Amino acid sequence: MKVREGDLLHLAEDGAFDVIVHGCNCFHTMGAGIARAIAARFPAALEADRATPHAARSKLGTYSHADVTVAAGPLTIVNAYTQYRWGGRGRQADYEAIDGAFAAIARDFATRRIGYPLIGAGLAGGDWDVIEGIIRRRLDGLDHTLVRWTG
């Protein structure tokens, strides 16, 4: 795992990544955090999310995606279903869902440069040490980078 500081979306637009991954809930709600920024900047990612069944627990551990074009070329945005709901108290991040989503991402994007934020460790309340271990294990040997937000 490489680690960078900066703005994941700006880095992706500048060509640092072929794929960016962010965590989503199962209710088509991309109203806060990086999901909000992605929905605003890349409406196709929100459309891909809305094309999935609303409130379906079966989405946990899977993903939807949108292929867009940025100044640097093609970019795939992955909406990883890593939590069932949003808001409220306590941990929303589902570690099994994170594991399943990253297993699928490793399978489907193995030859691509993958960037992601602290998925599940912000608004979703997950423990980054646990999540980092999952991501490291699933993306072992791949070109992947954690981007720590510096706004």
Side-chain angles (χ1 to χ4, degrees):
M1 174 186 291
K2 293 180 254 178
V3 179
R4 276 182 88 159
E5 291 189 351
D7 181 319
L8 176 64
L9 303 186
H10 286 160
L11 290 167
E13 289 174 325
D14 290 343
F17 307 110
D18 306 309
V19 176
I20 59 171
V21 181
H22 73 109
C24 284
N25 64 65
C26 297
F27 287 83
H28 303 156
T29 305
M30 294 174 66
I34 195 166
R36 182 179 181 157
I38 287 171
R41 193 171 294 169
F42 305 110
L46 180 57
E47 290 171 22
D49 180 36
R50 288 182 175 164
T52 66
H54 183 264
R57 284 192 181 274
S58 61
K59 293 192 300 187
L60 287 171
T62 70
Y63 69 84
S64 63
H65 75 281
D67 295 314
V68 300
T69 301
V70 296
L75 174 68
T76 299
I77 301 162
V78 172
N79 303 317
Y81 297 104
T82 58
Q83 63 191 73
Y84 182 66
R85 59 187 170 90
W86 75 101
R89 294 181 185 215
R91 175 172 59 90
Q92 304 299 319
D94 181 319
Y95 299 140
E96 288 182 27
I98 293 168
D99 185 63
F102 274 92
I105 289 162
R107 178 190 67 231
D108 297 342
F109 301 104
T111 61
R112 316 256 313 265
R113 296 170 301 149
I114 304 167
Y116 48 86
L118 291 164
I119 291 176
L123 297 174
D127 180 332
W128 178 248
D129 290 335
V130 173
I131 297 165
E132 179 182 15
I134 293 167
I135 294 172
R136 282 184 182 276
R137 185 176 72 257
R138 288 300 185 184
L139 300 186
D140 185 45
L142 304 185
D143 186 349
H144 65 105
T145 304
L146 164 66
V147 178
R148 291 183 182 272
W149 168 254
T150 55

